[in-house]
Amino acid sequence: MKWSPRPRVGVLAAAMAQQRAATRLRIVLGHLGCPSAGAVVASPTSGPIASASFHPQQFQYTLDNDVLSLEQRKFYEENGFLVIKNLVSDADIQRFRVEFEKICREESKPVGLMVMRDVSIAKSEYSPSEKTISKIQDFQEDKELFRFCTLPEVLKYVECFTGPNIMAMHTMLINKPPDTGKKTSRHPLHQDLHYFPFRPSNRIVCAWTAMEHIDRNNGCLVVLPGTHKGCLKPHDYPQWEGGVNAMFHGIQDYDKDHARVHLVMEKGDTVFFHPLLIHGSGRNQTQGFRKAISCHFASADCHYIDVKGTVQENIEKEVVGIADRLCGTESGLNLKDIWMFRARLVKGERITL
């Protein structure tokens, strides 16, 4: 029998691939400032977690300025997210917490605010309390909470992705509740662009700030590095036995073997990520409420699109349906109308949005 080198080549290739995967994981851990995989978990380690070599003309997800280092730009270009440690001060986070608690007690009622409750909480249990509210969004009319969207230290980084003319498009304060055992505190893997009728996607970024220590126990973010390079995938409600929260759409088809990175964050740490990055969060297995505040920003040069006939048509129908119920009649609105109501200029000049 003639000897064939293929088996040995296969073993060598597998060993080299394993070594590259380990190197990629070390890069991610180093970026997040973690000494070991005990703080950030990536499982499995295969997948596009890398820091490659770039020439300036090859950058497509970040813009030229003096804020990001070359390594930070490379990391975001390859992985679609970037964590900046200790960006937002304890004093600001405390002010946001106090205002949120006022909203929960109904002492403050900002115009246009949407209050959301976990699907596991029965209506009979509703009370003006932090324990019954899992998220508020669209706080653009709340001067105290909207301060987050205007913090110079946040906008300094946002400009690296959007350019100098910046719109605040979507605001949220997430108060992930302790899971009741039905696993409803999870958020399915999704892409934020599913909800947005504006483009281009490369000029949109989310700033998501931890308001306390966040890890896998209380439901940290999990990201699939490199998925921002793909396309927008179809989303719908996952078939979960315990129920799913309103508008918690998830990707129906994704690579379950893709590397995952769980973002362990301290209070004030902020992750900036691309709207096509696949991400989600796990259950809150503690007795406390896990808080984070976020805003999606977009370049004022972005433009709106008609989502009819696209994979976003289902979310438009749902959002418009909610608007119709709030109005008590057919509003005649579309997804573009609703987002135009939310959008606020926070820096530079308003051009298109």
Side-chain angles (χ1 to χ4, degrees), residues 283-327:
R283 288 181 294 156
N284 181 357
Q285 302 176 72
T286 70
Q287 295 305 305
F289 288 76
R290 189 272 274 162
K291 291 180 176 61
I293 188 168
S294 72
C295 179
H296 281 90
F297 297 91
S299 167
D301 298 314
C302 286
H303 60 274
Y304 288 101
I305 64 167
D306 184 354
V307 301
K308 287 181 174 58
T310 73
V311 294
Q312 293 178 260
E313 190 168 18
N314 60 341
I315 190 63
E316 179 177 56
K317 289 180 179 178
E318 184 169 353
V319 171
V320 170
I322 292 172
D324 290 347
R325 288 195 296 274
L326 291 173
C327 294

Side-chain angles (χ1 to χ4, degrees), residues 18 33 54 59-60 70 96 158 219-220 246-247 254 263 275 279 304 315 320 348:
Q18 185 176 15
F54 284 88
F59 290 118
Q60 54 181 315
L70 180 58
F96 302 146
V158 169
C220 66
M247 290 190 284
Y254 62 92
L263 300 183
H279 66 286
Y304 288 101
I315 190 63
V320 170

Side-chain angles (χ1 to χ4, degrees), residues 146-158:
F146 196 71
R147 284 182 53 253
F148 172 75
C149 308
T150 64
L151 291 175
E153 58 267 38
V154 172
L155 293 180
K156 177 177 73 171
Y157 284 96
V158 169

Side-chain angles (χ1 to χ4, degrees), residues 118-120 180-184 186 239-245:
D118 192 87
V119 68
S120 66
T180 61
K182 296 182 179 180
K183 301 180 181 179
T184 56
R186 293 177 291 174
Q239 301 301 309
W240 288 349
E241 291 183 7
V244 186
N245 286 301

